[in-house]
Amino acid sequence: MNYIPIDLIIQISSRLPAKSIARFRCVSKLWSSTFHRSYFTELFLTRSSAHPRLLFALKRDVPIDRNSEWLFFSSTQPPNPYGKASLLAASYSHLKCPEDTWLDFCGYVSGLICFTHDVWIAKGDERRVHVICNPSTGQYASLPSLKIYRNSRSYLGFDPIDKQFKVLSVADDGHKILTLGIGEMSWRKIQCCPLSLSRCFSQGICINGVLYYFAQFDGTYRIVCFDIKSENYKLIDVELFYFEGKLINYKGELSVILWKYGDNGTMELYMLILEDTEKQRTSKYVYTLEDDKYFDRYNEVSVAGVTATGAIVFSVRRMRRIRKPFRVFYFNPEKDTLQSIKIKGFGAEFYAWNNEIYTFVDHVEDLRFDITKTTYCCNIYKPPITGLDAFGSINKFGALCLSDDD
């Protein structure tokens, strides 16, 4: 490589998968410095943003080993899916948990996934560990444990201005937040919502630096808007009917979508678009999918998200029939067209009864956020021991310190 100009090396490497770059960073200090340059990470992001992908996170509960494991796959996301019959998913990475450990999905933002694991330490002392994962590079890191109370829920958000990820914990005893970074990470209390918290629902969604999630306040159903940068709240009223739906990002605007099967075999799709969250101006749309042959009622189907072009993507969430092909469905509201695409490449183990699949659209590989800040790529997550991270600790430089046994 001494005979190849560095600019040419950077141009070639920017076209490689993120997982390959993560491995290159472990080769030497020179390679680590080269592939950590801001110029390279921005170039890599520019190229990957032009070709967003579909990301699949497969959760497998293993009763024999008394744990769970997560397998990540990715496939191309065609800009015009209509006319395509199938796509091939390639394996990304594998997160295997130790005995008596079940990682639950918490949130997905800007290419990172957050999981949670609750640990009972002693009577009256239950801890929650958040695990941050970059499925593109295969890196995993656990955050400092947090004492939790009943009705506790966690959300992952991203501030695009300061380029910061934050984990928000909402509980009856108050709200706490943790900022991911290279400093000493710790949980801190923040101001709660103005009304007493009754219940929090749904998984959150982060759009342009604002985290949204459903909540119920004194019998009133609201959408909580939490600004990641300023850490301030705002509340939006929502109709009870749409409260049963899912929050999505529709062309940069917060939307609520839900669907119901009709008596005649059709499926009705309801969408509420909040065009102006300040003035709370909304638009409502109803679509009828008369050709419902693609949707297998024996399998659980959910909304994966909306592409940048405005296509609503449905995905099979849980397989109820053995050996039934896994599918994603593209619905174009403007053209009123529905396209079914088979996803191949998961393997035979995918069809187990207890598997659960999470699908994410417009997934972009991003190298700017190196979770571990170290040459280690952690493939096995270990739960905390009496509230301490069994990996070791996260030092003042943000590095994940592994023990000798790892």
Side-chain angles (χ1 to χ4, degrees), residues 90-195:
S91 177
Y92 249 178
S93 54
H94 179 200
L95 174 56
K96 185 175 177 60
C97 306
E99 185 176 311
D100 293 329
T101 304
W102 279 266
L103 288 181
D104 296 318
F105 175 79
C106 174
Y108 168 89
V109 177
S110 298
L112 296 189
I113 296 180
C114 181
F115 299 101
T116 59
H117 171 57
D118 294 344
V119 182
W120 187 84
I121 304 299
K123 185 177 180 180
D125 186 6
E126 187 174 2
R127 303 271 174 166
R128 173 166 296 169
V129 177
H130 297 79
V131 178
I132 301 297
C133 164
N134 188 337
S136 301
T137 60
Q139 293 177 320
Y140 310 88
S142 58
L143 304 180
S145 63
L146 173 69
K147 188 174 182 179
I148 60 174
Y149 298 84
R150 59 189 178 92
N151 295 335
S152 176
R153 186 134 195 175
S154 300
Y155 301 96
L156 177 64
F158 174 66
D159 171 22
I161 298 178
D162 293 337
K163 304 295 189 298
Q164 287 184 329
F165 286 92
K166 295 183 180 181
V167 180
L168 173 67
S169 176
V170 181
D172 287 343
D173 68 320
H175 295 20
K176 295 182 180 180
I177 198 167
L178 182 144
T179 303
L180 276 67
I182 60 175
E184 195 75 25
M185 291 190 292
S186 60
W187 293 93
R188 52 188 173 84
K189 289 186 176 182
I190 59 175
Q191 183 180 0
C192 300
C193 292
L195 300 179

Side-chain angles (χ1 to χ4, degrees), residues 115-342:
F115 299 101
T116 59
H117 171 57
D118 294 344
V119 182
W120 187 84
I121 304 299
K123 185 177 180 180
D125 186 6
E126 187 174 2
R127 303 271 174 166
R128 173 166 296 169
V129 177
H130 297 79
V131 178
I132 301 297
C133 164
N134 188 337
S136 301
T137 60
Q139 293 177 320
Y140 310 88
S142 58
L143 304 180
S145 63
L146 173 69
K147 188 174 182 179
I148 60 174
Y149 298 84
R150 59 189 178 92
N151 295 335
S152 176
R153 186 134 195 175
S154 300
Y155 301 96
L156 177 64
F158 174 66
D159 171 22
I161 298 178
D162 293 337
K163 304 295 189 298
Q164 287 184 329
F165 286 92
K166 295 183 180 181
V167 180
L168 173 67
S169 176
V170 181
D172 287 343
D173 68 320
H175 295 20
K176 295 182 180 180
I177 198 167
L178 182 144
T179 303
L180 276 67
I182 60 175
E184 195 75 25
M185 291 190 292
S186 60
W187 293 93
R188 52 188 173 84
K189 289 186 176 182
I190 59 175
Q191 183 180 0
C192 300
C193 292
L195 300 179
S196 60
L197 174 66
S198 175
R199 294 179 64 190
C200 288
F201 299 86
S202 79
Q203 293 167 354
I205 183 172
C206 191
I207 304 175
N208 298 327
V210 180
L211 177 65
Y212 302 92
Y213 60 89
F214 283 124
Q216 179 183 1
F217 297 91
D218 299 331
T220 303
Y221 298 93
R222 308 283 185 88
I223 295 178
V224 179
C225 310
F226 177 75
D227 188 276
I228 300 298
K229 180 177 176 61
S230 64
E231 300 181 359
N232 293 325
Y233 284 94
K234 186 177 64 175
L235 301 175
I236 299 177
D237 293 330
V238 63
E239 297 179 25
L240 176 61
F241 177 72
Y242 287 99
F243 187 73
E244 302 173 357
K246 178 178 179 179
L247 296 171
I248 61 172
N249 181 354
Y250 186 78
K251 295 184 177 181
E253 296 177 334
L254 175 66
S255 305
V256 185
I257 189 170
L258 61 88
W259 60 101
K260 293 185 177 181
Y261 287 102
D263 297 333
N264 56 354
T266 62
M267 188 176 76
E268 292 184 337
L269 189 68
Y270 302 86
M271 185 163 61
L272 176 70
I273 301 178
L274 285 82
E275 298 175 345
D276 191 334
T277 56
E278 293 291 337
K279 299 180 180 179
Q280 300 191 20
R281 186 172 64 245
T282 62
S283 298
K284 303 176 184 179
Y285 301 90
V286 181
Y287 306 95
T288 301
L289 307 183
E290 297 182 355
D291 186 1
D292 125 297
K293 63 182 180 180
Y294 294 123
F295 290 91
D296 186 350
R297 295 195 184 190
Y298 291 93
N299 291 331
E300 183 180 332
V301 178
S302 64
V303 174
V306 181
T307 65
T309 57
I312 302 174
V313 181
F314 293 85
S315 173
V316 175
R317 178 69 176 270
R318 193 185 300 270
M319 303 295 291
R320 301 297 187 186
R321 286 183 172 180
I322 304 300
R323 296 297 175 182
K324 198 72 174 177
F326 178 80
R327 296 176 181 270
V328 293
F329 311 91
Y330 282 77
F331 174 67
N332 189 322
E334 298 177 356
K335 299 181 179 180
D336 195 21
T337 55
L338 179 67
Q339 173 71 22
S340 171
I341 300 179
K342 295 180 182 179

Side-chain angles (χ1 to χ4, degrees), residues 54-60 69-75 89-90 92-95 103-108 111-115 133-135 140 302 304 315-318 326 343 346 350 354-361 363:
L54 289 173
L55 175 66
F56 305 97
L58 171 63
K59 180 184 180 181
R60 298 180 65 235
E69 59 182 359
W70 287 83
L71 293 86
F72 303 100
F73 300 84
S74 176
S75 73
Y92 249 178
S93 54
H94 179 200
L95 174 56
L103 288 181
D104 296 318
F105 175 79
C106 174
Y108 168 89
L112 296 189
I113 296 180
C114 181
F115 299 101
C133 164
N134 188 337
Y140 310 88
S302 64
S315 173
V316 175
R317 178 69 176 270
R318 193 185 300 270
F326 178 80
I343 305 296
F346 290 112
F350 166 77
N354 58 343
N355 285 347
E356 191 173 4
I357 308 100
Y358 293 80
T359 304
F360 309 97
V361 302
H363 171 67

